[in-house]
Amino acid sequence: MIGGESIAPGARVTIELPVPQLYTHTPLTMPIRVVRGRRDGPRLFVCAAVHGDELNGVEIIRRLLRRPALARLRGTLIAIPIVNVYGVLHHSRYLPDRRDLNRSFPGSERGSLTAKVAERFMTEIVANCTHGIDLHTAANHRDNLPQIRGNLDDPDTLALARSFGVPVLINAAVRDGSLRAAAADFGIPMLLYEAGEPLRFSEYAIRPGVQGIFNVMRALGMIAPSRRSRPGTEPFVARSSAWVRAPESGMFRGAKPLGARVERGEPIGTIADPFGDAEITVTADHSGLVIGRTQLPIVYQGDALFHVARFEDVLGAAQQVEDFQAEHDD
């Protein structure tokens, strides 16, 4: 039961979950689509726009719900394309109280606006599910290589992460207040898919996201295996990752794209003053693959420029990313 509504086997329903109204006295709801199969099985939630400026996931869920395979679903799919309705309305990462929803879980019925939304999501969605996938993009003025983050020390989460079908997995510790941390307290294996940049649609991020969710649903036995599916390639798990930061303020020109392999000490960009009198070379602090980078050419000293993940087999990971990029470019 969600929002007081019971969903019968074989039903597909839209639920408008009430959230605090706007200050104009206008009612506001969080839209939810529930697809329940005729047979019982896993209950998977897929959500997007926890940060209101991260829109790729909204399109991923739209395409997901149009797939004919859902007619033969086993279990239940709960799709929430816009969690942070307030942020989407204002093209903002945050809610009107300037809080980050993904640092406010599990929330509180007696707390701030953000805490109330978080608590409603936990009690109505997470508490009714067995698994979860949270769709994100990079933060403001950044772009991310398609990647899965999760607690890969947990065998169930690792198995789902491997099934998703992206070449890079990040074993990321949970952060206090995040949806992943709150779901973990419920014993729910959960993946976080990161790809693309905010306020933009990217086919390179969207198509792997749709396919990845279906891969997970197949792994869970929610839909039948595809007759045309090819054997998946083994993803690479990053040992750790860190940002290369700007040594000085100025105009930044990056020399490495997403997915590029870099060596420790290798030049990966330059920073110059507006006159071009002084130019500083940015070098990699460690070897690895570029999984995130800034899109903004104006930087201050200390700004994050390149997010570089470390791997045991950097060459293998780089080849895997190259093959992945070629497949989705096609």
Side-chain angles (χ1 to χ4, degrees):
M1 183 175 290
I2 298 176
E5 186 168 343
S6 181
I7 298 92
R12 179 188 284 237
V13 300
T14 299
I15 297 172
E16 301 292 342
L17 188 67
V19 293
Q21 67 185 19
L22 300 178
Y23 51 71
T24 58
H25 200 64
T26 304
L28 200 63
T29 61
M30 184 189 302
I32 300 167
R33 176 67 55 85
V34 182
V35 184
R36 184 175 178 186
R38 297 188 181 277
R39 296 176 295 160
D40 288 337
R43 300 182 302 277
L44 172 70
F45 77 82
V46 180
C47 66
V50 167
H51 293 133
D53 59 352
E54 299 182 0
L55 304 180
N56 277 329
V58 180
E59 176 64 9
I60 288 172
I61 290 177
R62 186 191 71 82
R63 296 186 192 185
L64 175 71
L65 292 170
R66 292 172 62 88
R67 287 287 187 98
L70 294 183
R72 300 178 297 279
L73 181 69
R74 175 178 171 266
T76 303
L77 171 66
I78 302 176
I80 313 95
I82 302 175
V83 178
N84 181 0
V85 184
Y86 308 90
V88 172
L89 287 173
H90 294 98
H91 301 177
S92 170
R93 180 180 181 87
Y94 306 107
L95 278 85
D97 59 6
R98 295 301 300 165
R99 286 179 168 87
D100 185 336
L101 181 57
N102 209 29
R103 296 294 179 270
S104 301
F105 289 99
S108 169
E109 195 174 11
R110 307 178 108 188
S112 66
L113 169 64
T114 304
K116 289 179 182 294
V117 173
E119 189 272 340
R120 198 77 198 272
F121 190 87
M122 292 297 299
T123 56
E124 298 286 355
I125 306 298
V126 178
N128 284 307
C129 292
T130 59
H131 300 80
I133 301 176
D134 188 14
L135 307 174
H136 283 264
T137 75
N140 203 22
H141 303 305
R142 296 179 186 170
D143 196 2
N144 274 346
L145 183 79
Q147 60 196 259
I148 285 291
R149 300 180 184 182
N151 175 19
L152 305 185
D153 294 326
D154 172 59
D156 292 337
T157 304
L158 177 60
L160 293 181
R162 290 187 184 279
S163 72
F164 197 94
V166 292
V168 173
L169 310 180
I170 310 293
N171 190 6
V174 294
R175 295 188 177 184
D176 290 342
S178 69
L179 178 55
R180 273 206 304 135
D185 290 339
F186 276 73
I188 296 176
M190 184 174 160
L191 303 180
L192 191 152
Y193 175 63
E194 286 266 5
E197 56 185 310
L199 296 177
R200 299 289 185 274
F201 278 173
S202 165
E203 286 297 315
Y204 182 58
I206 293 167
R207 285 182 292 165
V210 176
Q211 189 57 50
I213 295 170
F214 264 85
N215 290 343
V216 170
M217 293 175 72
R218 289 191 183 98
L220 291 172
M222 298 178 71
I223 56 175
S226 172
R227 296 175 183 176
R228 296 179 296 174
S229 62
R230 295 174 292 177
T233 53
E234 187 69 11
F236 285 79
V237 179
R239 294 183 292 119
S240 62
S241 65
W243 281 91
V244 176
R245 297 187 176 273
E248 294 290 344
S249 303
M251 305 296 163
F252 170 66
R253 304 192 307 277
K256 293 291 183 179
L258 289 176
R261 179 168 65 95
V262 299
E263 298 289 342
R264 178 185 174 93
E266 177 184 358
I268 55 176
T270 56
I271 297 175
D273 65 54
F275 303 106
D277 295 334
E279 190 166 285
I280 296 171
T281 300
V282 179
T283 59
D285 297 331
H286 55 274
S287 300
L289 292 185
V290 176
I291 62 170
R293 57 161 291 169
T294 183
Q295 298 290 76
L296 200 62
I298 304 170
V299 299
Y300 281 107
Q301 186 178 30
D303 280 355
L305 304 179
F306 293 97
H307 194 190
V308 180
R310 300 179 177 93
F311 297 88
E312 294 287 351
D313 180 6
V314 177
L315 286 174
Q319 184 60 55
Q320 194 86 298
V321 169
E322 187 175 323
D323 293 344
F324 177 84
Q325 290 173 326
E327 176 185 352
H328 288 282
D329 282 344
D330 292 341

